[in-house]
PDB file of all heavy atoms in Angstrom:
ATOM      1  N   LYS A 210       5.834  -3.519  21.858  1.00 87.00           N
ATOM      2  CA  LYS A 210       5.109  -4.643  21.261  1.00 87.00           C
ATOM      3  C   LYS A 210       3.770  -4.202  20.722  1.00 87.00           C
ATOM      4  O   LYS A 210       3.382  -4.610  19.559  1.00 87.00           O
ATOM      5  CB  LYS A 210       4.848  -5.738  22.319  1.00 87.00           C
ATOM      6  CG  LYS A 210       6.114  -6.475  22.745  1.00 87.00           C
ATOM      7  CD  LYS A 210       5.783  -7.602  23.696  1.00 87.00           C
ATOM      8  CE  LYS A 210       7.075  -8.384  24.107  1.00 87.00           C
ATOM      9  NZ  LYS A 210       6.787  -9.460  25.080  1.00 87.00           N
ATOM     10  N   LEU A 211       3.078  -3.363  21.445  1.00 88.00           N
ATOM     11  CA  LEU A 211       1.770  -2.802  20.964  1.00 88.00           C
ATOM     12  C   LEU A 211       1.980  -1.988  19.689  1.00 88.00           C
ATOM     13  O   LEU A 211       1.257  -2.191  18.713  1.00 88.00           O
ATOM     14  CB  LEU A 211       1.107  -1.976  22.072  1.00 88.00           C
ATOM     15  CG  LEU A 211      -0.324  -1.459  21.833  1.00 88.00           C
ATOM     16  CD1 LEU A 211      -0.957  -1.182  23.147  1.00 88.00           C
ATOM     17  CD2 LEU A 211      -0.362  -0.232  20.995  1.00 88.00           C
ATOM     18  N   VAL A 212       2.913  -1.056  19.739  1.00 90.00           N
ATOM     19  CA  VAL A 212       3.174  -0.204  18.560  1.00 90.00           C
ATOM     20  C   VAL A 212       3.635  -1.058  17.374  1.00 90.00           C
ATOM     21  O   VAL A 212       3.218  -0.815  16.208  1.00 90.00           O
ATOM     22  CB  VAL A 212       4.202   0.883  18.893  1.00 90.00           C
ATOM     23  CG1 VAL A 212       4.590   1.694  17.653  1.00 90.00           C
ATOM     24  CG2 VAL A 212       3.662   1.786  19.993  1.00 90.00           C
ATOM     25  N   GLY A 213       4.501  -2.033  17.605  1.00 91.00           N
ATOM     26  CA  GLY A 213       4.985  -2.845  16.557  1.00 91.00           C
ATOM     27  C   GLY A 213       3.905  -3.675  15.860  1.00 91.00           C
ATOM     28  O   GLY A 213       3.816  -3.714  14.618  1.00 91.00           O
ATOM     29  N   ALA A 214       2.990  -4.234  16.685  1.00 89.00           N
ATOM     30  CA  ALA A 214       1.891  -5.001  16.124  1.00 89.00           C
ATOM     31  C   ALA A 214       0.933  -4.095  15.333  1.00 89.00           C
ATOM     32  O   ALA A 214       0.459  -4.484  14.225  1.00 89.00           O
ATOM     33  CB  ALA A 214       1.080  -5.672  17.240  1.00 89.00           C
ATOM     34  N   LEU A 215       0.749  -2.893  15.792  1.00 91.00           N
ATOM     35  CA  LEU A 215      -0.107  -1.897  15.118  1.00 91.00           C
ATOM     36  C   LEU A 215       0.470  -1.533  13.791  1.00 91.00           C
ATOM     37  O   LEU A 215      -0.226  -1.479  12.723  1.00 91.00           O
ATOM     38  CB  LEU A 215      -0.339  -0.695  16.003  1.00 91.00           C
ATOM     39  CG  LEU A 215      -1.344   0.350  15.544  1.00 91.00           C
ATOM     40  CD1 LEU A 215      -2.725  -0.302  15.406  1.00 91.00           C
ATOM     41  CD2 LEU A 215      -1.373   1.523  16.481  1.00 91.00           C
ATOM     42  N   LEU A 216       1.778  -1.269  13.721  1.00 93.00           N
ATOM     43  CA  LEU A 216       2.452  -0.880  12.471  1.00 93.00           C
ATOM     44  C   LEU A 216       2.410  -1.984  11.472  1.00 93.00           C
ATOM     45  O   LEU A 216       2.146  -1.776  10.294  1.00 93.00           O
ATOM     46  CB  LEU A 216       3.879  -0.457  12.780  1.00 93.00           C
ATOM     47  CG  LEU A 216       4.076   0.870  13.527  1.00 93.00           C
ATOM     48  CD1 LEU A 216       5.554   1.100  13.795  1.00 93.00           C
ATOM     49  CD2 LEU A 216       3.518   2.022  12.735  1.00 93.00           C
ATOM     50  N   VAL A 217       2.687  -3.219  11.912  1.00 93.00           N
ATOM     51  CA  VAL A 217       2.663  -4.341  10.985  1.00 93.00           C
ATOM     52  C   VAL A 217       1.261  -4.550  10.423  1.00 93.00           C
ATOM     53  O   VAL A 217       1.102  -4.813   9.203  1.00 93.00           O
ATOM     54  CB  VAL A 217       3.154  -5.667  11.673  1.00 93.00           C
ATOM     55  CG1 VAL A 217       2.922  -6.855  10.776  1.00 93.00           C
ATOM     56  CG2 VAL A 217       4.677  -5.520  12.050  1.00 93.00           C
ATOM     57  N   SER A 218       0.239  -4.405  11.258  1.00 92.00           N
ATOM     58  CA  SER A 218      -1.135  -4.595  10.799  1.00 92.00           C
ATOM     59  C   SER A 218      -1.502  -3.514   9.760  1.00 92.00           C
ATOM     60  O   SER A 218      -2.237  -3.775   8.840  1.00 92.00           O
ATOM     61  CB  SER A 218      -2.088  -4.559  11.964  1.00 92.00           C
ATOM     62  OG  SER A 218      -2.263  -3.245  12.504  1.00 92.00           O
ATOM     63  N   CYS A 219      -0.956  -2.308   9.922  1.00 93.00           N
ATOM     64  CA  CYS A 219      -1.224  -1.248   8.910  1.00 93.00           C
ATOM     65  C   CYS A 219      -0.580  -1.530   7.544  1.00 93.00           C
ATOM     66  O   CYS A 219      -1.198  -1.321   6.519  1.00 93.00           O
ATOM     67  CB  CYS A 219      -0.701   0.081   9.489  1.00 93.00           C
ATOM     68  SG  CYS A 219      -1.643   0.780  10.821  1.00 93.00           S
ATOM     69  N   VAL A 220       0.648  -2.090   7.586  1.00 93.00           N
ATOM     70  CA  VAL A 220       1.351  -2.404   6.323  1.00 93.00           C
ATOM     71  C   VAL A 220       0.561  -3.492   5.594  1.00 93.00           C
ATOM     72  O   VAL A 220       0.302  -3.386   4.407  1.00 93.00           O
ATOM     73  CB  VAL A 220       2.768  -2.825   6.606  1.00 93.00           C
ATOM     74  CG1 VAL A 220       3.435  -3.363   5.324  1.00 93.00           C
ATOM     75  CG2 VAL A 220       3.578  -1.648   7.172  1.00 93.00           C
ATOM     76  N   ILE A 221       0.179  -4.564   6.287  1.00 93.00           N
ATOM     77  CA  ILE A 221      -0.519  -5.638   5.685  1.00 93.00           C
ATOM     78  C   ILE A 221      -1.917  -5.145   5.294  1.00 93.00           C
ATOM     79  O   ILE A 221      -2.476  -5.586   4.249  1.00 93.00           O
ATOM     80  CB  ILE A 221      -0.652  -6.839   6.643  1.00 93.00           C
ATOM     81  CG1 ILE A 221       0.766  -7.339   6.967  1.00 93.00           C
ATOM     82  CG2 ILE A 221      -1.457  -7.991   5.988  1.00 93.00           C
ATOM     83  CD1 ILE A 221       0.821  -8.503   7.950  1.00 93.00           C
ATOM     84  N   GLY A 222      -2.504  -4.207   6.074  1.00 91.00           N
ATOM     85  CA  GLY A 222      -3.805  -3.675   5.705  1.00 91.00           C
ATOM     86  C   GLY A 222      -3.816  -3.030   4.334  1.00 91.00           C
ATOM     87  O   GLY A 222      -4.749  -3.133   3.555  1.00 91.00           O
ATOM     88  N   VAL A 223      -2.730  -2.250   4.006  1.00 92.00           N
ATOM     89  CA  VAL A 223      -2.639  -1.646   2.651  1.00 92.00           C
ATOM     90  C   VAL A 223      -2.630  -2.745   1.584  1.00 92.00           C
ATOM     91  O   VAL A 223      -3.315  -2.648   0.603  1.00 92.00           O
ATOM     92  CB  VAL A 223      -1.433  -0.735   2.543  1.00 92.00           C
ATOM     93  CG1 VAL A 223      -1.340  -0.192   1.106  1.00 92.00           C
ATOM     94  CG2 VAL A 223      -1.502   0.384   3.516  1.00 92.00           C
ATOM     95  N   GLY A 224      -1.858  -3.774   1.827  1.00 93.00           N
ATOM     96  CA  GLY A 224      -1.724  -4.840   0.882  1.00 93.00           C
ATOM     97  C   GLY A 224      -3.011  -5.589   0.668  1.00 93.00           C
ATOM     98  O   GLY A 224      -3.428  -5.843  -0.472  1.00 93.00           O
ATOM     99  N   ILE A 225      -3.672  -5.937   1.789  1.00 92.00           N
ATOM    100  CA  ILE A 225      -4.900  -6.723   1.612  1.00 92.00           C
ATOM    101  C   ILE A 225      -6.042  -5.919   0.988  1.00 92.00           C
ATOM    102  O   ILE A 225      -6.872  -6.388   0.253  1.00 92.00           O
ATOM    103  CB  ILE A 225      -5.342  -7.331   2.967  1.00 92.00           C
ATOM    104  CG1 ILE A 225      -6.329  -8.512   2.730  1.00 92.00           C
ATOM    105  CG2 ILE A 225      -5.969  -6.268   3.867  1.00 92.00           C
ATOM    106  CD1 ILE A 225      -6.618  -9.275   3.983  1.00 92.00           C
ATOM    107  N   SER A 226      -6.099  -4.581   1.223  1.00 90.00           N
ATOM    108  CA  SER A 226      -7.045  -3.713   0.577  1.00 90.00           C
ATOM    109  C   SER A 226      -6.903  -3.736  -0.907  1.00 90.00           C
ATOM    110  O   SER A 226      -7.848  -3.873  -1.655  1.00 90.00           O
ATOM    111  CB  SER A 226      -6.928  -2.278   1.101  1.00 90.00           C
ATOM    112  OG  SER A 226      -7.259  -2.188   2.482  1.00 90.00           O
ATOM    113  N   TYR A 227      -5.630  -3.608  -1.393  1.00 93.00           N
ATOM    114  CA  TYR A 227      -5.414  -3.592  -2.783  1.00 93.00           C
ATOM    115  C   TYR A 227      -5.700  -4.947  -3.484  1.00 93.00           C
ATOM    116  O   TYR A 227      -6.445  -5.030  -4.454  1.00 93.00           O
ATOM    117  CB  TYR A 227      -3.926  -3.222  -3.090  1.00 93.00           C
ATOM    118  CG  TYR A 227      -3.633  -3.305  -4.573  1.00 93.00           C
ATOM    119  CD1 TYR A 227      -4.006  -2.219  -5.392  1.00 93.00           C
ATOM    120  CD2 TYR A 227      -2.928  -4.350  -5.113  1.00 93.00           C
ATOM    121  CE1 TYR A 227      -3.700  -2.277  -6.795  1.00 93.00           C
ATOM    122  CE2 TYR A 227      -2.613  -4.436  -6.451  1.00 93.00           C
ATOM    123  CZ  TYR A 227      -3.003  -3.359  -7.261  1.00 93.00           C
ATOM    124  OH  TYR A 227      -2.757  -3.389  -8.647  1.00 93.00           O
ATOM    125  N   TYR A 228      -5.128  -6.014  -2.914  1.00 93.00           N
ATOM    126  CA  TYR A 228      -5.286  -7.320  -3.566  1.00 93.00           C
ATOM    127  C   TYR A 228      -6.660  -7.871  -3.415  1.00 93.00           C
ATOM    128  O   TYR A 228      -7.101  -8.639  -4.286  1.00 93.00           O
ATOM    129  CB  TYR A 228      -4.244  -8.293  -2.996  1.00 93.00           C
ATOM    130  CG  TYR A 228      -2.826  -8.020  -3.560  1.00 93.00           C
ATOM    131  CD1 TYR A 228      -1.806  -7.583  -2.754  1.00 93.00           C
ATOM    132  CD2 TYR A 228      -2.567  -8.258  -4.912  1.00 93.00           C
ATOM    133  CE1 TYR A 228      -0.594  -7.329  -3.228  1.00 93.00           C
ATOM    134  CE2 TYR A 228      -1.315  -8.051  -5.420  1.00 93.00           C
ATOM    135  CZ  TYR A 228      -0.290  -7.579  -4.573  1.00 93.00           C
ATOM    136  OH  TYR A 228       0.952  -7.339  -5.095  1.00 93.00           O
ATOM    137  N   ALA A 229      -7.375  -7.494  -2.333  1.00 91.00           N
ATOM    138  CA  ALA A 229      -8.753  -8.020  -2.182  1.00 91.00           C
ATOM    139  C   ALA A 229      -9.628  -7.463  -3.293  1.00 91.00           C
ATOM    140  O   ALA A 229     -10.412  -8.223  -3.936  1.00 91.00           O
ATOM    141  CB  ALA A 229      -9.312  -7.603  -0.838  1.00 91.00           C
ATOM    142  N   PHE A 230      -9.538  -6.142  -3.600  1.00 91.00           N
ATOM    143  CA  PHE A 230     -10.337  -5.595  -4.682  1.00 91.00           C
ATOM    144  C   PHE A 230      -9.914  -6.136  -6.013  1.00 91.00           C
ATOM    145  O   PHE A 230     -10.737  -6.374  -6.914  1.00 91.00           O
ATOM    146  CB  PHE A 230     -10.244  -4.078  -4.643  1.00 91.00           C
ATOM    147  CG  PHE A 230     -11.226  -3.442  -3.684  1.00 91.00           C
ATOM    148  CD1 PHE A 230     -10.762  -2.717  -2.583  1.00 91.00           C
ATOM    149  CD2 PHE A 230     -12.598  -3.530  -3.866  1.00 91.00           C
ATOM    150  CE1 PHE A 230     -11.635  -2.155  -1.698  1.00 91.00           C
ATOM    151  CE2 PHE A 230     -13.458  -2.991  -2.951  1.00 91.00           C
ATOM    152  CZ  PHE A 230     -12.995  -2.251  -1.878  1.00 91.00           C
ATOM    153  N   LEU A 231      -8.618  -6.274  -6.278  1.00 91.00           N
ATOM    154  CA  LEU A 231      -8.119  -6.799  -7.496  1.00 91.00           C
ATOM    155  C   LEU A 231      -8.619  -8.213  -7.725  1.00 91.00           C
ATOM    156  O   LEU A 231      -9.024  -8.621  -8.804  1.00 91.00           O
ATOM    157  CB  LEU A 231      -6.597  -6.778  -7.546  1.00 91.00           C
ATOM    158  CG  LEU A 231      -5.895  -7.116  -8.872  1.00 91.00           C
ATOM    159  CD1 LEU A 231      -6.246  -6.057  -9.914  1.00 91.00           C
ATOM    160  CD2 LEU A 231      -4.414  -7.165  -8.670  1.00 91.00           C
ATOM    161  N   CYS A 232      -8.630  -9.007  -6.628  1.00 92.00           N
ATOM    162  CA  CYS A 232      -9.079 -10.433  -6.725  1.00 92.00           C
ATOM    163  C   CYS A 232     -10.610 -10.452  -6.957  1.00 92.00           C
ATOM    164  O   CYS A 232     -11.114 -11.324  -7.707  1.00 92.00           O
ATOM    165  CB  CYS A 232      -8.689 -11.172  -5.469  1.00 92.00           C
ATOM    166  SG  CYS A 232      -8.748 -12.940  -5.581  1.00 92.00           S
ATOM    167  N   ARG A 233     -11.328  -9.595  -6.261  1.00 90.00           N
ATOM    168  CA  ARG A 233     -12.782  -9.566  -6.468  1.00 90.00           C
ATOM    169  C   ARG A 233     -13.191  -9.271  -7.880  1.00 90.00           C
ATOM    170  O   ARG A 233     -14.152  -9.793  -8.404  1.00 90.00           O
ATOM    171  CB  ARG A 233     -13.421  -8.521  -5.491  1.00 90.00           C
ATOM    172  CG  ARG A 233     -13.471  -8.853  -4.073  1.00 90.00           C
ATOM    173  CD  ARG A 233     -14.140  -7.727  -3.284  1.00 90.00           C
ATOM    174  NE  ARG A 233     -13.934  -7.838  -1.839  1.00 90.00           N
ATOM    175  CZ  ARG A 233     -14.731  -8.476  -1.004  1.00 90.00           C
ATOM    176  NH1 ARG A 233     -15.772  -9.142  -1.495  1.00 90.00           N
ATOM    177  NH2 ARG A 233     -14.488  -8.476   0.308  1.00 90.00           N
ATOM    178  N   ALA A 234     -12.378  -8.391  -8.511  1.00 87.00           N
ATOM    179  CA  ALA A 234     -12.652  -7.984  -9.884  1.00 87.00           C
ATOM    180  C   ALA A 234     -12.290  -9.138 -10.901  1.00 87.00           C
ATOM    181  O   ALA A 234     -12.790  -9.170 -11.998  1.00 87.00           O
ATOM    182  CB  ALA A 234     -11.879  -6.732 -10.249  1.00 87.00           C
ATOM    183  N   SER A 235     -11.432 -10.091 -10.433  1.00 87.00           N
ATOM    184  CA  SER A 235     -10.889 -11.081 -11.350  1.00 87.00           C
ATOM    185  C   SER A 235     -11.668 -12.433 -11.283  1.00 87.00           C
ATOM    186  O   SER A 235     -11.654 -13.158 -12.249  1.00 87.00           O
ATOM    187  CB  SER A 235      -9.432 -11.347 -11.023  1.00 87.00           C
ATOM    188  OG  SER A 235      -8.655 -10.166 -11.109  1.00 87.00           O
ATOM    189  N   VAL A 236     -12.349 -12.683 -10.173  1.00 88.00           N
ATOM    190  CA  VAL A 236     -13.012 -14.039  -9.992  1.00 88.00           C
ATOM    191  C   VAL A 236     -14.381 -13.836  -9.437  1.00 88.00           C
ATOM    192  O   VAL A 236     -14.753 -12.724  -9.062  1.00 88.00           O
ATOM    193  CB  VAL A 236     -12.191 -14.955  -9.096  1.00 88.00           C
ATOM    194  CG1 VAL A 236     -10.794 -15.190  -9.634  1.00 88.00           C
ATOM    195  CG2 VAL A 236     -12.111 -14.388  -7.677  1.00 88.00           C
ATOM    196  N   SER A 237     -15.138 -14.899  -9.363  1.00 89.00           N
ATOM    197  CA  SER A 237     -16.529 -14.846  -8.802  1.00 89.00           C
ATOM    198  C   SER A 237     -16.475 -14.639  -7.289  1.00 89.00           C
ATOM    199  O   SER A 237     -15.433 -14.840  -6.668  1.00 89.00           O
ATOM    200  CB  SER A 237     -17.288 -16.079  -9.138  1.00 89.00           C
ATOM    201  OG  SER A 237     -16.804 -17.224  -8.422  1.00 89.00           O
ATOM    202  N   ALA A 238     -17.629 -14.286  -6.680  1.00 88.00           N
ATOM    203  CA  ALA A 238     -17.694 -14.061  -5.249  1.00 88.00           C
ATOM    204  C   ALA A 238     -17.411 -15.363  -4.517  1.00 88.00           C
ATOM    205  O   ALA A 238     -16.750 -15.382  -3.515  1.00 88.00           O
ATOM    206  CB  ALA A 238     -19.079 -13.544  -4.911  1.00 88.00           C
ATOM    207  N   THR A 239     -17.934 -16.511  -5.035  1.00 89.00           N
ATOM    208  CA  THR A 239     -17.741 -17.796  -4.369  1.00 89.00           C
ATOM    209  C   THR A 239     -16.238 -18.196  -4.439  1.00 89.00           C
ATOM    210  O   THR A 239     -15.656 -18.651  -3.457  1.00 89.00           O
ATOM    211  CB  THR A 239     -18.582 -18.873  -5.018  1.00 89.00           C
ATOM    212  OG1 THR A 239     -19.901 -18.395  -5.073  1.00 89.00           O
ATOM    213  CG2 THR A 239     -18.535 -20.166  -4.193  1.00 89.00           C
ATOM    214  N   SER A 240     -15.618 -18.017  -5.622  1.00 88.00           N
ATOM    215  CA  SER A 240     -14.217 -18.292  -5.758  1.00 88.00           C
ATOM    216  C   SER A 240     -13.322 -17.450  -4.888  1.00 88.00           C
ATOM    217  O   SER A 240     -12.384 -17.923  -4.302  1.00 88.00           O
ATOM    218  CB  SER A 240     -13.789 -18.126  -7.269  1.00 88.00           C
ATOM    219  OG  SER A 240     -14.426 -19.046  -8.078  1.00 88.00           O
ATOM    220  N   PHE A 241     -13.710 -16.189  -4.764  1.00 89.00           N
ATOM    221  CA  PHE A 241     -12.988 -15.271  -3.899  1.00 89.00           C
ATOM    222  C   PHE A 241     -13.027 -15.780  -2.435  1.00 89.00           C
ATOM    223  O   PHE A 241     -12.053 -15.783  -1.726  1.00 89.00           O
ATOM    224  CB  PHE A 241     -13.566 -13.857  -4.005  1.00 89.00           C
ATOM    225  CG  PHE A 241     -12.973 -12.872  -3.050  1.00 89.00           C
ATOM    226  CD1 PHE A 241     -11.727 -12.340  -3.394  1.00 89.00           C
ATOM    227  CD2 PHE A 241     -13.536 -12.472  -1.878  1.00 89.00           C
ATOM    228  CE1 PHE A 241     -11.111 -11.382  -2.547  1.00 89.00           C
ATOM    229  CE2 PHE A 241     -12.986 -11.579  -1.048  1.00 89.00           C
ATOM    230  CZ  PHE A 241     -11.744 -10.996  -1.310  1.00 89.00           C
ATOM    231  N   THR A 242     -14.229 -16.231  -2.038  1.00 87.00           N
ATOM    232  CA  THR A 242     -14.368 -16.780  -0.690  1.00 87.00           C
ATOM    233  C   THR A 242     -13.507 -18.002  -0.495  1.00 87.00           C
ATOM    234  O   THR A 242     -12.860 -18.194   0.534  1.00 87.00           O
ATOM    235  CB  THR A 242     -15.860 -17.136  -0.409  1.00 87.00           C
ATOM    236  OG1 THR A 242     -16.661 -15.972  -0.743  1.00 87.00           O
ATOM    237  CG2 THR A 242     -16.075 -17.569   0.999  1.00 87.00           C
ATOM    238  N   VAL A 243     -13.513 -18.910  -1.493  1.00 87.00           N
ATOM    239  CA  VAL A 243     -12.749 -20.172  -1.377  1.00 87.00           C
ATOM    240  C   VAL A 243     -11.258 -19.885  -1.353  1.00 87.00           C
ATOM    241  O   VAL A 243     -10.488 -20.508  -0.583  1.00 87.00           O
ATOM    242  CB  VAL A 243     -13.084 -21.105  -2.541  1.00 87.00           C
ATOM    243  CG1 VAL A 243     -12.146 -22.311  -2.572  1.00 87.00           C
ATOM    244  CG2 VAL A 243     -14.544 -21.558  -2.496  1.00 87.00           C
ATOM    245  N   ILE A 244     -10.805 -18.916  -2.129  1.00 87.00           N
ATOM    246  CA  ILE A 244      -9.360 -18.476  -2.098  1.00 87.00           C
ATOM    247  C   ILE A 244      -9.001 -18.046  -0.758  1.00 87.00           C
ATOM    248  O   ILE A 244      -7.927 -18.449  -0.202  1.00 87.00           O
ATOM    249  CB  ILE A 244      -9.098 -17.415  -3.178  1.00 87.00           C
ATOM    250  CG1 ILE A 244      -9.254 -17.943  -4.605  1.00 87.00           C
ATOM    251  CG2 ILE A 244      -7.706 -16.849  -2.985  1.00 87.00           C
ATOM    252  CD1 ILE A 244      -9.346 -16.887  -5.611  1.00 87.00           C
ATOM    253  N   GLY A 245      -9.801 -17.231  -0.124  1.00 84.00           N
ATOM    254  CA  GLY A 245      -9.529 -16.792   1.221  1.00 84.00           C
ATOM    255  C   GLY A 245      -9.479 -17.922   2.234  1.00 84.00           C
ATOM    256  O   GLY A 245      -8.629 -17.920   3.132  1.00 84.00           O
ATOM    257  N   ASN A 246     -10.361 -18.951   2.014  1.00 80.00           N
ATOM    258  CA  ASN A 246     -10.386 -20.070   2.921  1.00 80.00           C
ATOM    259  C   ASN A 246      -9.121 -20.906   2.800  1.00 80.00           C
ATOM    260  O   ASN A 246      -8.489 -21.285   3.809  1.00 80.00           O
ATOM    261  CB  ASN A 246     -11.641 -20.930   2.628  1.00 80.00           C
ATOM    262  CG  ASN A 246     -12.898 -20.203   2.957  1.00 80.00           C
ATOM    263  OD1 ASN A 246     -12.946 -19.225   3.668  1.00 80.00           O
ATOM    264  ND2 ASN A 246     -13.988 -20.751   2.450  1.00 80.00           N
ATOM    265  N   VAL A 247      -8.728 -21.206   1.572  1.00 79.00           N
ATOM    266  CA  VAL A 247      -7.589 -22.023   1.363  1.00 79.00           C
ATOM    267  C   VAL A 247      -6.296 -21.376   1.850  1.00 79.00           C
ATOM    268  O   VAL A 247      -5.387 -22.029   2.369  1.00 79.00           O
ATOM    269  CB  VAL A 247      -7.463 -22.400  -0.180  1.00 79.00           C
ATOM    270  CG1 VAL A 247      -6.137 -23.144  -0.455  1.00 79.00           C
ATOM    271  CG2 VAL A 247      -8.655 -23.215  -0.600  1.00 79.00           C
ATOM    272  N   SER A 248      -6.240 -20.055   1.727  1.00 80.00           N
ATOM    273  CA  SER A 248      -5.060 -19.356   2.188  1.00 80.00           C
ATOM    274  C   SER A 248      -4.813 -19.477   3.685  1.00 80.00           C
ATOM    275  O   SER A 248      -3.712 -19.193   4.176  1.00 80.00           O
ATOM    276  CB  SER A 248      -5.151 -17.867   1.822  1.00 80.00           C
ATOM    277  OG  SER A 248      -6.105 -17.192   2.654  1.00 80.00           O
ATOM    278  N   LYS A 249      -5.864 -19.882   4.394  1.00 74.00           N
ATOM    279  CA  LYS A 249      -5.706 -19.974   5.861  1.00 74.00           C
ATOM    280  C   LYS A 249      -4.880 -21.130   6.325  1.00 74.00           C
ATOM    281  O   LYS A 249      -4.641 -21.273   7.564  1.00 74.00           O
ATOM    282  CB  LYS A 249      -7.094 -19.968   6.537  1.00 74.00           C
ATOM    283  CG  LYS A 249      -7.978 -18.762   6.308  1.00 74.00           C
ATOM    284  CD  LYS A 249      -7.171 -17.512   6.697  1.00 74.00           C
ATOM    285  CE  LYS A 249      -7.995 -16.258   6.581  1.00 74.00           C
ATOM    286  NZ  LYS A 249      -8.230 -15.870   5.186  1.00 74.00           N
ATOM    287  N   ILE A 250      -4.459 -21.998   5.401  1.00 70.00           N
ATOM    288  CA  ILE A 250      -3.511 -23.107   5.789  1.00 70.00           C
ATOM    289  C   ILE A 250      -2.247 -22.462   6.419  1.00 70.00           C
ATOM    290  O   ILE A 250      -1.735 -22.906   7.485  1.00 70.00           O
ATOM    291  CB  ILE A 250      -3.138 -23.974   4.597  1.00 70.00           C
ATOM    292  CG1 ILE A 250      -4.386 -24.766   4.130  1.00 70.00           C
ATOM    293  CG2 ILE A 250      -2.012 -24.895   4.946  1.00 70.00           C
ATOM    294  CD1 ILE A 250      -4.133 -25.601   2.899  1.00 70.00           C
TER     295      ILE A 250
END
C-alpha cells in the first residue's frame, strides 16, 4: 500500500508539474489560482 501510493503520487507529480507550468504561462496568476480551486470539486 505504501509503495503503491508513492508510485501513483510520482506519476501524477510528473503530470501536474507539466500542466501547472503550461497553465501558468497561459493565464493570469489569479485565474490560475481560481482554476485550481474549482478543480477541487
Side-chain angles (χ1 to χ4, degrees):
K210 290 183 178 180
L211 187 157
V212 174
L215 188 59
L216 290 175
V217 172
S218 74
C219 288
V220 172
I221 299 177
V223 176
I225 199 170
S226 293
Y227 176 78
Y228 284 112
F230 276 116
L231 189 64
C232 196
R233 287 180 194 272
S235 302
V236 301
S237 71
T239 310
S240 295
F241 177 79
T242 307
V243 172
I244 291 165
N246 293 345
V247 173
S248 72
K249 296 305 183 290
I250 293 177

